[in-house]
Each structure stands twice: as structure tokens, then as C-alpha cells.
Amino acid sequence: MEEASPWQLCPLDDQALLASSVEIYASLYQQLLQRGDWDNQLIPSYNPVIPIVTHSFRHREGWRIFLLLTPWMLTRLLLPMRDPGLSLPNQQQKDTLMLLGPLLEVDLLGQRQKAHLQYHPLLGHYLIQPLIQSLHKYSDADAVLSAWSTIVDTRDTLIRQHDRHCKWQQDVSRREMFSGLLRPRPHQSPTLSGV
């Protein structure tokens, strides 16, 4: 008899996933503001002019991958489309969304990577990889995404100089950099614009 997977997969279609991600993280942001967690320095600093938006959605080797920009970080979300065969830590709560869940080292898309395990009832289990965590110096979403593209360019130059190859990282980062960088982002929380 086959054992049931501990991973809860996201049942939403792609568009609903993106819209729900914005709503979920907007709600988390409001909860943290109301509780005063930012003021107590329990969590990283935030920039209230940065909106909550998704960017660069794609499917890759059984994962749905996209960037999520919030007032406190730019991160990559990875949602499995089938059981990824990864063990879930026992302490992973199924009722609370954390800013950063337990850190896992996983073989992901052909490489050993680090990612934080997350859970939300609508999104299921998923992984996040923080990319930029200090957003206080950025004036808007485009400034953050431009900074990320500069990081990608610098990393790619160093890889070429050292004759190393990181095919997955180059492919994912290039798509993030060029996929709609200057186009409007449809999955922005209307209630948090300018917040």
C-alpha cells in the first residue's frame, strides 16, 4: 500500500495562485503591522512604499516558480506540482504562515540548494528563497527588480570568468530579469498601493 505524501500541493490554477499569493502576503503584512512586530524589531525592516507583487511566473521541471516582492523582501517562491519527495520537518506548523520557515537543503532542479519551507492552507507546502532582504533604500518595485538584475549580471560575469556553469540558476535568473521587468504587474494588491 502506497504511503500518502506529507506534502500538501496547491490546488489553485496559475492565475489564482498568483492572486492568492498577493492576498495572503498582504494579510500577513497587515497582521504584522497591527501587532507592532516591526517596531519590536522581531522581524526584518520593511519599506512601506514597496507594493506586494508577483513577477516572472513559469513552470520548470515539476515546479511553479515566481518572484514575490513584499515590503520586507524580494523572494523566489517554488511550489511543487507533484510530491517532490522531500521530508517535512516535524515542527512545521500547518496553521501559521511564517516570514521564513525551517531552512532545508534540497536537491532542486539539478542542484543542491537552500530554501525555507512554508505552508499556507491555500498554497499548500512550498519553498521560498530570499533574494533581497533589506528594501529600505529602494524607491519602488522597479528599483528592487533593477537591483536584482544587477546582481544576476554580476553573478553571471563571475561565473563566466571562472569558467563555471550554473545552468539552472542562469536560466531562472535571466527569466526573472527579462520577464516583464518594465511591464505593469497584474497581481498587485490594490489595497496596499502606496502603503
Side-chain angles (χ1 to χ4, degrees):
M1 186 170 171
E2 193 174 306
E3 189 174 317
S5 170
W7 279 74
Q8 180 180 329
L9 303 179
C10 179
L12 303 174
D13 67 28
D14 294 345
Q15 290 301 313
L17 163 62
L18 294 174
S20 293
S21 296
V22 169
E23 292 171 12
I24 288 164
Y25 278 85
S27 176
L28 175 62
Y29 180 51
Q30 291 301 323
Q31 290 170 29
L32 294 169
L33 286 173
Q34 289 171 359
R35 290 193 325 226
D37 287 351
W38 304 111
D39 299 329
N40 296 329
Q41 297 182 353
L42 297 175
I43 52 180
S45 64
Y46 72 103
N47 183 344
V49 302
I50 302 296
I52 298 176
V53 295
T54 62
H55 186 67
S56 305
F57 180 85
R58 65 228 171 258
H59 288 215
R60 173 81 187 215
E61 298 180 26
W63 294 84
R64 295 193 278 181
I65 303 170
F66 60 96
L67 295 181
L68 177 71
L69 178 61
T70 69
W72 62 93
M73 74 177 159
L74 173 66
T75 188
R76 182 181 295 128
L77 272 69
L78 302 106
L79 288 90
M81 294 187 288
R82 59 183 172 272
D83 184 344
L86 302 172
S87 298
L88 294 175
N90 289 335
Q91 74 269 24
Q92 179 66 19
Q93 297 295 315
K94 283 199 165 193
D95 57 355
T96 306
L97 180 64
M98 298 173 275
L99 287 178
L100 289 176
L103 184 64
L104 303 177
E105 285 198 31
V106 297
D107 289 318
L108 187 62
L109 304 172
Q111 290 202 350
R112 191 80 176 154
Q113 300 190 46
K114 292 182 180 180
H116 293 272
L117 178 65
Q118 298 290 101
Y119 177 83
H120 187 275
L122 283 178
L123 303 181
H125 290 99
Y126 61 102
L127 301 174
I128 67 169
Q129 294 177 312
L131 304 173
I132 302 176
Q133 290 183 278
S134 182
L135 301 182
H136 64 278
K137 65 182 177 182
Y138 299 103
S139 58
D140 57 25
D142 286 333
V144 178
L145 295 170
S146 292
W148 177 240
S149 72
T150 300
I151 292 167
V152 169
D153 285 343
T154 302
R155 190 214 49 234
D156 288 350
T157 299
L158 292 172
I159 288 172
R160 281 191 304 276
Q161 287 174 350
H162 291 94
D163 198 28
R164 294 183 183 159
H165 300 284
C166 186
K167 179 65 177 140
W168 176 81
Q169 192 69 304
Q170 288 174 338
D171 177 57
V172 168
S173 297
R174 283 278 167 218
R175 288 175 186 257
E176 289 169 353
M177 188 171 85
F178 293 116
S179 175
L181 180 62
L182 301 176
R183 290 193 310 256
R185 287 161 207 77
H187 299 288
Q188 180 172 344
S189 172
T191 59
L192 291 182
S193 296
V195 172

